[in-house]
Amino acid sequence: MRIVGQVLGWVLILAAVAVIGADVLAALDSGQFMPRPAGQLWFQLDVGSLNLLQAVVQRYLHPSIWDPGIVSVLLLPAFVVLAVPGVLLALLCRPRADRRKPLFY
């Protein structure tokens, strides 16, 4: 299970690097750095799943969970939304040192 968390963490980190790379390339083209919000990235990738999530949260859970809860996360820069859980997963799921080994040989 630990290996799955570690791989997922690194995939999220690589996705964050790709997103910030695309944002930097867009900034070089336009002359101003505007990081893409997570909601915009999700909308560009798959609008149907974003709409489905909104409908499920508002109908079956509670409308206030969607706005301001999830909406505030979707307004954050996409690279942050990808990098933070990626780094946490990579750190929490890293292999631990075997404590039974002596420090000095």
Side-chain angles (χ1 to χ4, degrees):
M1 192 67 178
R2 180 172 289 181
I3 218 63
V4 172
Q6 193 175 19
V7 168
L8 182 59
W10 281 106
V11 166
L12 288 172
I13 291 169
L14 290 174
V17 169
V19 168
I20 198 162
D23 289 345
V24 166
L25 288 176
L28 291 174
D29 194 34
S30 69
Q32 106 182 34
F33 182 68
M34 296 275 301
R36 186 180 340 193
Q40 180 183 350
L41 178 65
W42 193 348
F43 184 84
Q44 290 170 340
L45 292 175
D46 187 14
V47 67
S49 66
L50 180 59
N51 289 334
L52 178 64
L53 178 68
Q54 180 182 4
V56 167
V57 167
Q58 287 181 331
R59 283 188 194 139
Y60 298 112
L61 297 176
H62 198 277
S64 64
I65 293 174
W66 180 260
D67 190 14
I70 295 175
V71 169
S72 61
V73 173
L74 292 174
L75 292 175
L76 292 172
F79 71 90
V80 172
V81 174
L82 292 168
V84 169
V87 169
L88 288 175
L89 276 172
L91 288 176
L92 292 174
C93 297
R94 71 180 186 266
R96 297 176 193 229
D98 191 6
R99 294 184 182 179
R100 291 176 282 162
K101 289 183 183 177
L103 293 176
F104 303 102
Y105 291 101

Short mmCIF file of all heavy atoms in Angstrom, two decimals, residues 3 9 25-26 30 35 39 41 50 55 60 74 82 91:
data_model
loop_
_atom_site.label_atom_id
_atom_site.label_comp_id
_atom_site.label_asym_id
_atom_site.label_seq_id
_atom_site.Cartn_x
_atom_site.Cartn_y
_atom_site.Cartn_z
N ILE A 3 3.73 1.66 -1.42
CA ILE A 3 4.30 1.91 -2.75
C ILE A 3 3.28 2.63 -3.62
O ILE A 3 3.63 3.50 -4.42
CB ILE A 3 4.81 0.59 -3.37
CG1 ILE A 3 6.10 0.74 -4.17
CG2 ILE A 3 3.88 0.04 -4.40
CD1 ILE A 3 7.28 1.13 -3.63
N GLY A 9 1.94 9.94 -5.25
CA GLY A 9 2.54 11.20 -4.86
C GLY A 9 3.46 11.74 -5.93
O GLY A 9 3.41 12.93 -6.28
N LEU A 25 5.35 28.80 -19.87
CA LEU A 25 5.38 28.98 -21.32
C LEU A 25 4.32 29.98 -21.78
O LEU A 25 4.57 30.80 -22.66
CB LEU A 25 5.21 27.65 -22.04
CG LEU A 25 6.40 26.70 -21.98
CD1 LEU A 25 6.06 25.37 -22.64
CD2 LEU A 25 7.62 27.32 -22.62
N ALA A 26 3.14 29.90 -21.17
CA ALA A 26 2.08 30.87 -21.51
C ALA A 26 2.48 32.27 -21.07
O ALA A 26 2.17 33.26 -21.74
CB ALA A 26 0.77 30.46 -20.86
N SER A 30 2.66 35.62 -23.35
CA SER A 30 1.81 36.78 -23.10
C SER A 30 2.53 37.92 -22.38
O SER A 30 2.07 39.05 -22.40
CB SER A 30 0.59 36.37 -22.28
OG SER A 30 0.98 36.03 -20.96
N PRO A 35 -1.02 32.04 -13.21
CA PRO A 35 -1.18 30.60 -13.02
C PRO A 35 -2.64 30.17 -13.22
O PRO A 35 -3.56 30.87 -12.80
CB PRO A 35 -0.71 30.35 -11.59
CG PRO A 35 -0.71 31.67 -10.92
CD PRO A 35 -0.60 32.70 -11.99
N GLY A 39 -9.78 24.77 -11.09
CA GLY A 39 -11.09 24.59 -11.71
C GLY A 39 -11.04 24.75 -13.22
O GLY A 39 -11.71 24.02 -13.95
N LEU A 41 -8.39 24.17 -15.13
CA LEU A 41 -7.70 22.99 -15.66
C LEU A 41 -8.64 21.80 -15.72
O LEU A 41 -8.69 21.08 -16.72
CB LEU A 41 -6.47 22.67 -14.81
CG LEU A 41 -5.67 21.44 -15.23
CD1 LEU A 41 -5.06 21.64 -16.62
CD2 LEU A 41 -4.61 21.13 -14.20
N LEU A 50 -16.55 17.42 -13.67
CA LEU A 50 -16.65 18.58 -12.78
C LEU A 50 -18.11 18.91 -12.50
O LEU A 50 -18.50 19.15 -11.36
CB LEU A 50 -15.93 19.78 -13.40
CG LEU A 50 -15.94 21.08 -12.61
CD1 LEU A 50 -15.30 20.90 -11.25
CD2 LEU A 50 -15.25 22.17 -13.40
N ALA A 55 -22.99 18.54 -8.92
CA ALA A 55 -24.37 18.09 -8.71
C ALA A 55 -24.47 17.13 -7.53
O ALA A 55 -25.39 17.24 -6.70
CB ALA A 55 -24.90 17.43 -9.98
N TYR A 60 -26.70 15.73 -2.72
CA TYR A 60 -26.69 14.64 -1.76
C TYR A 60 -25.92 14.94 -0.49
O TYR A 60 -26.12 14.25 0.52
CB TYR A 60 -26.13 13.37 -2.42
CG TYR A 60 -26.99 12.91 -3.57
CD1 TYR A 60 -26.51 12.98 -4.87
CD2 TYR A 60 -28.28 12.45 -3.37
CE1 TYR A 60 -27.29 12.58 -5.95
CE2 TYR A 60 -29.07 12.05 -4.43
CZ TYR A 60 -28.58 12.12 -5.72
OH TYR A 60 -29.35 11.72 -6.77
N LEU A 74 -10.88 25.07 -5.93
CA LEU A 74 -10.82 25.14 -7.39
C LEU A 74 -10.28 26.48 -7.89
O LEU A 74 -9.84 26.58 -9.03
CB LEU A 74 -12.20 24.88 -8.00
CG LEU A 74 -12.73 23.46 -7.83
CD1 LEU A 74 -14.16 23.36 -8.35
CD2 LEU A 74 -11.84 22.45 -8.53
N LEU A 82 -2.11 20.30 -7.06
CA LEU A 82 -1.49 19.03 -7.39
C LEU A 82 -0.25 18.75 -6.54
O LEU A 82 -0.01 17.62 -6.12
CB LEU A 82 -1.11 19.00 -8.88
CG LEU A 82 -2.26 18.99 -9.86
CD1 LEU A 82 -1.75 19.26 -11.27
CD2 LEU A 82 -3.01 17.68 -9.80
N LEU A 91 6.10 12.01 0.94
CA LEU A 91 6.80 12.01 2.22
C LEU A 91 6.24 10.99 3.20
O LEU A 91 6.98 10.29 3.88
CB LEU A 91 6.75 13.41 2.86
CG LEU A 91 7.60 14.47 2.20
CD1 LEU A 91 7.38 15.82 2.88
CD2 LEU A 91 9.07 14.09 2.24
#
